[in-house]
Amino acid sequence: MTEGQWDRSRYDAILVGGGLANQLIAWRLTDRRPDLRLAIVERGPELGGNHTWSFHATDISPAQSRWIEPLVTYSWDRQEVRFPGQPDRVLGTGYRSVLSDKLAAAVREHCANLAVLTNASAEDVRPDRVTLADGTVLSAPLVIDGRGALREQPLALAFQKFYGLEIETETPHGETHPVIMDATVAQADGYRFVYTLPMTANRILVEDTYYSEDPGFEADVLERRTRAYADLKGWRIAKVVRQEQGILPISLAGDIDRHWATLGRELPRAGLRAWLFHATTGYSVPYAARLADRIATARELTSASIAAVVEAESRAVWSEQAYMRLINRLLFVGAKPSERVAVMARFYRLGEPLIQRFYAGQLTLADKARILSGRPPIPISRGLRVIAPERAWDFVAGRPALTSDLG
Ligand SMILES: Cc1cc2nc3c(=O)[nH]c(=O)nc-3n(C[C@H](O)[C@H](O)[C@H](O)COP(=O)(O)OP(=O)(O)OC[C@H]3O[C@@H](n4cnc5c(N)ncnc54)[C@H](O)[C@@H]3O)c2cc1C
């Protein structure tokens, strides 16, 4: 069959869920194998939803930076953190943001052989076919399920939750780089900080953010606080351009064997569904980029072989992050909510290369020892009690079930 005449229900690969992970996979498969006929199935009206996906420049390798560069909407060469009682700290680590609408447009343009099916809910997803809500059946030797985090999973979680407004200010706001944590604000609901990304001289994203054990979310309260912060900074809002909110998973402990045994080994997963996220931030851009590279360079593109690639990647990330989960237990289980800001402030007094390696998930043994050395911000007896992952399960036991999707 010549191009343009092929059967529109048969593909070489079907990506279920048009979110971050599957869009990067489509991008990389197109780069490496432009001949492949790909389909991406998204239940929403457009790929990607409504997100600002950010990452530290040092989270990804130079090779990944090269291919991600065209997808980056905003780029800064430094970032800042602010804590009460210590000098504001500007870090010379670059920061990058990918806007979901820009990513969707770039993917549509770049992936010439990609059929984009939006407003298409996948009802039945199998290793060789996908049935949509309207009864359409699509088939392919490779199907990847990237429909976001599962509601029920064997993870003991805390949460990073936030509410953000992208605003246009009446006069220039005066910020030149991201302030990824301004923790000088009043503390509430665990560890609270405001995150700001200056996009242009008059446009800035302001996000009221919490590290909390409670996934509950009162959007109107957070919106008021976000507006109050803008007010405090003297930013008069000319226009709200966009609103975004999220509840990201912070893992304290989990059972990866049970996760993969429950999911089964025939259908490959991607993104949060495959537990590919940073344990302490819930961020997933670097992991999504790495998985996209692994899949695009795989020798065989079948569900069985890619399922093995994904599971290996997921398990590698899980073991790399055992230490991050310990830190999370110290922050959430060991520290009282009111002590969390001191734990974070102490972390940000460490050397910049160590901080970079922390976010990149590449801590050395010396880094791990360094983070825990010195005068602890919480009593040692409490710290020792949370070394065992089991303590995390006690901590989350009895908590009400999640009422909204993670991610
Ligand atoms: C507002 C927000 C901001 C975030 N900011 C950052 C950040 O700055 N940096 C970072 O690294 N991480 C960030 N995250 C966290 C994480 O990286 C994102 O959640 C990321 O989008 C996860 O990627 P994913 O591909 O696993 O899932 P998603 O991007 O959520 O994609 C899943 C897709 O599947 C679709 N879907 C679900 N069910 C079906 C179905 N039955 N049929 C068809 N489609 C379906 C959904 O509509 C969705 O589009 C953010 C999360 C949120 C919510």
Side-chain angles (χ1 to χ4, degrees), residues 17 19-21 42-43 51-54 122 146 245 271-272 283-285 407:
L20 175 67
E42 169 55 47
R43 74 173 168 195
H51 299 77
T52 310
W53 287 301
S54 302
Q245 63 190 54
L272 295 190
Y283 277 21
S284 71
V285 173

Side-chain angles (χ1 to χ4, degrees), residues 122-137:
E123 295 292 294
D124 185 32
V125 181
R126 306 208 176 192
D128 60 346
R129 65 184 184 278
V130 177
T131 307
L132 306 183
D134 68 1
T136 306
V137 179

Side-chain angles (χ1 to χ4, degrees), residues 335-353:
K336 296 179 181 150
S338 59
E339 292 169 334
R340 284 181 200 149
V341 63
V343 178
M344 295 304 299
R346 181 178 184 273
F347 172 75
Y348 266 106
R349 291 199 290 270
L350 295 168
E352 188 163 345

Side-chain angles (χ1 to χ4, degrees), residues 16-22 41-44 46-55 95 120-123 146-149 162 195 207 244-248 270-273 282-286 406-407:
V16 186
L20 175 67
N22 272 350
V41 175
E42 169 55 47
R43 74 173 168 195
E46 182 46 288
L47 298 177
N50 176 24
H51 299 77
T52 310
W53 287 301
S54 302
F55 57 99
Y95 203 67
S121 184
E123 295 292 294
R147 287 177 286 172
F162 55 88
Y195 166 98
E207 284 187 352
E244 74 174 55
Q245 63 190 54
I247 306 175
L248 311 190
L272 295 190
R273 198 159 276 228
Y283 277 21
S284 71
V285 173
L406 288 172

Side-chain angles (χ1 to χ4, degrees), residues 340-405:
R340 284 181 200 149
V341 63
V343 178
M344 295 304 299
R346 181 178 184 273
F347 172 75
Y348 266 106
R349 291 199 290 270
L350 295 168
E352 188 163 345
L354 186 156
I355 294 170
Q356 291 175 344
R357 288 192 290 274
F358 182 86
Y359 283 118
Q362 289 167 358
L363 289 173
T364 63
L365 272 177
D367 292 337
K368 293 177 185 175
R370 176 73 193 87
I371 290 173
L372 292 176
S373 65
R375 193 164 158 263
I378 59 169
I380 290 181
S381 57
R382 263 200 267 141
L384 288 174
R385 263 188 261 139
V386 302
I387 288 180
E390 291 69 35
R391 283 304 310 272
W393 295 102
D394 303 340
F395 181 70
V396 301
R399 191 167 60 197
L402 275 174
T403 51
S404 56
D405 285 335

Side-chain angles (χ1 to χ4, degrees), residues 9 11-26 29 37-44 46-48 114-133 136-150 266-274 291 295 303 306:
S9 66
Y11 296 91
D12 294 309
I14 303 170
L15 308 171
V16 186
L20 175 67
N22 272 350
Q23 286 189 84
L24 296 190
I25 292 170
L29 279 174
R37 292 166 307 170
L38 307 175
I40 192 162
V41 175
E42 169 55 47
R43 74 173 168 195
E46 182 46 288
L47 298 177
L114 173 71
V116 178
L117 285 75
T118 51
N119 296 310
S121 184
E123 295 292 294
D124 185 32
V125 181
R126 306 208 176 192
D128 60 346
R129 65 184 184 278
V130 177
T131 307
L132 306 183
T136 306
V137 179
L138 311 173
S139 62
L142 170 61
V143 175
I144 300 179
D145 179 3
R147 287 177 286 172
L150 287 166
E266 295 79 32
L267 176 66
R269 269 62 178 199
L272 295 190
R273 198 159 276 228
L291 183 70
I295 292 177
S303 286
I306 296 302

